[in-house]
């Protein structure tokens, strides 16, 4: 009698409709799947979902598309020397070696973030400094970290028990208007470039900028996409405007990524996230959207509540006569937050985004791009640092995702795009 019921329910609640359901709606489906997998009574009890998630996090490669460690180290450095060592436990931040090990993280893309302030004014030097800081982490902790210029190197490092530190450049400003800088930064280890950041630059318009300077990509930006294809750097469409996204989709001969963007479906009007139409086009071209964990990216209501919270906090500091950027201001803000917890989203909501993408385009086109160390104190409950990936896996297992599907979400999909970028470059050598 059991099978017909299960089959019927599977038909009713199959993959397609699952993603559109709320968390509450998704839970009973996991129950159905658990029934299917329940062993005969004579077998030993099956491990809990949490134990399965923990074991899985250790056994598969977890790749995260965007972690802002280099910028964090830059901010905290005194006289050019960082005061923090992420190769040991750190008091602040979302990433360090012990927490990365605990979470099973294997390949966090280090964000070489260059502020729009450096547009055509020293941006390449800033990028060089941040790249050097990643190299410095590896040089200091060669048993635990390794550079990762290729997909194969990620796999080799994983086998050797080392955490790969591949690099992505956030903001194309360091290209400084020179096409030859694409190859230069490939040489330095950059494997994706987010074409713009929070302002229109000489390559692309930004989703955060109302000017629409180029109406998409600039003429130079179009040549940059072709050159990135040629040398084997993935194009990252996070941060760019919708028009620029459509230009990239038309021009890129290689699948592209969104290294840290979530679904606009849950945050109407927030152009920094991707619309369903864009996710469909990205997937059709073979690409991957890597879900951003920031609470403001996950939930439109939480986003609005956080805005109101920030206004209240600003007012509080103003009354006290404190500069928010001063040490006293930061301490007061911390104390305020302890008394008045900021609104935040949940790990279940991150799973909702993953399921939404799967419902739209299938499991081959979604990945993880946390933005750890980049979204301040806005991480969701259950995903507060790199130690917490197993919580997300548990949430997805509860919704009936298989371990093979989780492997694709955790890294397989992005490694596929990265391989495609490598393969295209290999077929198109300089002058070829
Ligand atoms: Zn960003």
């Amino acid at each position: 009698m059991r099978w017909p019921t299960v089959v019927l329910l599977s038909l009713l609640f199959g993959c397609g409709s699952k993603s559109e359901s709320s968390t509450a709606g998704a839970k009973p489906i996991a129950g159905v799947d658990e029934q299917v997998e329940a062993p005969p009574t004579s077998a030993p009890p099956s491990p809990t979902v949490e134990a399965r998630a923990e074991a899985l996090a250790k056994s598969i490669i977890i790749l995260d598309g965007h972690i802002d460690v280099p910028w964090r180290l830059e901010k905290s450095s005194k006289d050019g020397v960082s005061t923090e060592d992420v190769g040991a436990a750190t008091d602040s931040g979302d990433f360090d070696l012990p927490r990365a090990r605990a979470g099973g993280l294997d390949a966090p893309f280090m964000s070489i973030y260059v502020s729009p302030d450096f547009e055509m004014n020293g941006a390449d030097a800033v990028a060089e400094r941040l790249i050097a800081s990643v190299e410095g982490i590896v040089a200091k902790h060669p048993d635990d970290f390794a550079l990762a210029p290729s997909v194969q190197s990620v796999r080799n490092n994983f086998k050797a028990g080392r955490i790969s530190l591949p690099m992505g450049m956030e903001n194309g400003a360091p290209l400084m208007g020179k096409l030859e800088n694409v190859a230069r930064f490939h040489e330095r280890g950059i494997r994706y470039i987010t074409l713009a950041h929070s302002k229109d630059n000489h390559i692309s318009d930004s989703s955060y900028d109302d000017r629409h300077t180029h109406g998409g990509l600039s003429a130079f930006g179009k040549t940059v996409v072709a050159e990135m294809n040629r040398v084997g750097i993935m194009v990252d469409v996070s941060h760019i405007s919708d028009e620029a996204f459509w230009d990239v989709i038309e021009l890129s001969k290689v699948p592209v990524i969104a290294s840290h963007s979530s679904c606009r479906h849950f945050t109407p009007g927030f152009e920094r996230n991707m619309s369903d139409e864009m996710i469909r086009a990205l997937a059709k071209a073979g690409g991957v959207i890597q879900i951003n964990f920031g609470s403001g990216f996950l939930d439109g209501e939480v986003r609005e509540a956080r805005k109101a919270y920030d206004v209240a906090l600003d007012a509080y500091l103003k009354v006290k006569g404190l500069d928010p950027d001063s040490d006293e201001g930061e301490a007061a803000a911390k104390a305020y937050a302890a008394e008045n917890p900021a609104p935040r989203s949940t790990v279940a909501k991150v799973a909702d985004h993953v399921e939404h993408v799967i419902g739209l385009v299938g499991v081959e086109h979604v990945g993880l791009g946390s933005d750890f160390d980049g979204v301040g104190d806005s991480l969701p409950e259950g995903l507060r640092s790199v130690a917490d990936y197993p919580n997300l896996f548990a949430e997805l297992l509860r919704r009936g995702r298989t371990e093979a599907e989780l492997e694709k979400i955790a890294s397989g999909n992005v490694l596929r795009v990265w391989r495609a970028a490598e393969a295209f470059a290999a077929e198109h050598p300089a002058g070829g």
Side-chain angles (χ1 to χ4, degrees):
M1 284 310 287
R2 204 169 89 187
W3 277 108
T5 316
V6 169
V7 169
L8 178 65
L9 286 172
S10 300
L11 287 172
L12 283 173
F13 297 109
C15 278
S17 62
K18 223 194 257 191
S19 66
E20 301 297 331
S21 56
S22 66
T23 312
K27 291 239 160 94
I29 301 158
V32 170
D33 288 348
E34 275 157 19
Q35 264 184 24
V36 175
E37 286 164 20
T41 41
S42 58
S46 55
T48 63
V49 123
E50 289 77 12
R52 281 174 65 204
E54 287 280 349
L56 193 61
K58 298 277 150 48
S59 67
I60 64 176
I61 296 177
I62 300 180
L63 178 154
D64 191 312
H66 194 93
I67 299 193
D68 273 304
V69 165
W71 176 241
R72 169 180 156 204
L73 298 181
E74 169 94 353
K75 266 192 307 189
S76 69
S77 71
K78 297 225 155 57
D79 302 323
V81 180
S82 178
T83 56
E84 282 193 297
D85 177 7
V86 292
T90 55
D91 292 333
S92 65
D94 313 323
F95 174 99
D96 59 35
L97 178 64
R99 285 182 284 172
R101 291 287 193 205
L105 177 59
D106 303 294
F109 263 87
M110 295 285 100
S111 170
I112 304 302
Y113 164 66
V114 177
S115 160
D117 296 347
F118 298 103
E119 176 76 5
M120 290 301 179
N121 183 22
D124 54 343
V126 178
E128 290 285 357
R129 199 161 66 230
L130 268 59
I131 292 168
S133 101
V134 174
E135 291 169 337
I137 297 170
V138 171
K140 192 165 181 186
H141 305 281
D143 295 335
D144 291 302
F145 293 114
L147 296 173
S150 66
V151 171
Q152 192 55 51
S153 65
V154 170
R155 298 198 188 285
N156 294 346
N157 292 337
F158 177 68
K159 281 200 196 104
R162 293 193 182 89
I163 296 173
S164 292
L165 299 181
M167 289 182 276
M169 182 185 277
E170 184 175 37
N171 193 354
L175 299 183
M176 301 284 286
K178 292 183 182 148
L179 203 58
E180 60 267 33
N181 277 336
V182 177
R184 166 188 165 191
F185 282 112
H186 180 268
E187 192 89 340
R188 295 291 287 118
I190 296 296
R191 290 300 177 266
Y192 74 68
I193 297 176
T194 319
L195 300 177
H197 186 249
S198 54
K199 288 186 182 152
D200 297 352
N201 65 13
H202 68 289
I203 297 165
S204 173
D205 290 347
S206 161
S207 63
Y208 286 134
D209 196 322
D210 294 332
R211 290 176 294 170
H212 300 277
T213 306
H214 314 289
L217 295 181
S218 69
F220 175 68
K222 290 176 182 174
T223 66
V224 165
V225 168
E227 180 68 356
M228 287 170 71
N229 286 170
R230 192 188 66 77
V231 305
I233 296 182
M234 290 181 280
V235 180
D236 178 15
V237 298
S238 285
H239 278 289
I240 64 177
S241 69
D242 285 11
E243 293 102 322
F245 166 83
W246 292 111
D247 282 350
V248 167
I249 288 297
E250 194 182 315
L251 290 170
S252 181
K253 296 198 161 58
V254 181
V256 303
I257 55 167
S259 70
H260 60 307
S261 293
S262 303
C263 305
R264 206 179 290 170
H265 172 81
F266 298 96
T267 57
F270 182 42
E271 199 182 310
R272 174 66 182 79
N273 279 343
M274 294 182 76
S275 71
D276 289 357
E277 192 191 4
M278 290 159 75
I279 293 169
R280 283 196 192 94
L282 178 90
K284 198 171 166 211
V288 178
I289 172 173
Q290 300 176 260
I291 302 299
N292 188 312
F293 298 172
S295 285
F297 288 77
L298 296 174
D299 185 319
E301 281 176 29
V302 174
R303 185 173 178 76
E304 289 310 310
R306 290 190 67 89
K307 274 189 205 160
Y309 179 89
D310 288 342
V311 170
L313 174 59
D314 277 355
Y316 170 81
L317 292 176
K318 211 168 191 177
V319 165
K320 296 212 152 216
L322 292 169
D323 172 1
D325 291 329
S326 68
D327 288 348
E328 296 83 8
E330 277 181 19
K334 232 180 188 172
Y336 178 88
E339 292 257 309
N340 314 276
R344 51 179 90 242
S345 193
T346 62
V347 61
K349 199 73 190 180
V350 178
D352 288 348
H353 281 252
V354 171
E355 292 291 340
H356 182 73
V357 177
I358 295 173
L360 284 174
V361 293
V363 76
E364 320 285 333
H365 304 285
V366 62
L368 310 176
S370 65
D371 219 346
F372 280 133
D373 278 335
V375 289
D377 182 33
S378 82
L379 290 161
E381 292 302 342
L383 268 178
R384 301 295 291 275
S385 83
V386 291
D388 293 339
Y389 297 99
N391 294 342
L392 176 59
F393 289 2
E395 191 66 36
L396 291 165
L397 288 170
R398 264 181 231 119
R399 297 177 189 209
R401 290 292 149 211
T402 65
E403 300 191 355
E405 287 175 322
L406 280 174
E407 196 275 337
K408 291 179 183 180
I409 297 163
S411 62
N413 291 335
V414 174
L415 292 177
R416 180 194 73 230
V417 173
W418 190 354
R419 264 303 294 145
E422 290 177 344
F424 186 91
E427 288 161 15
H428 296 82

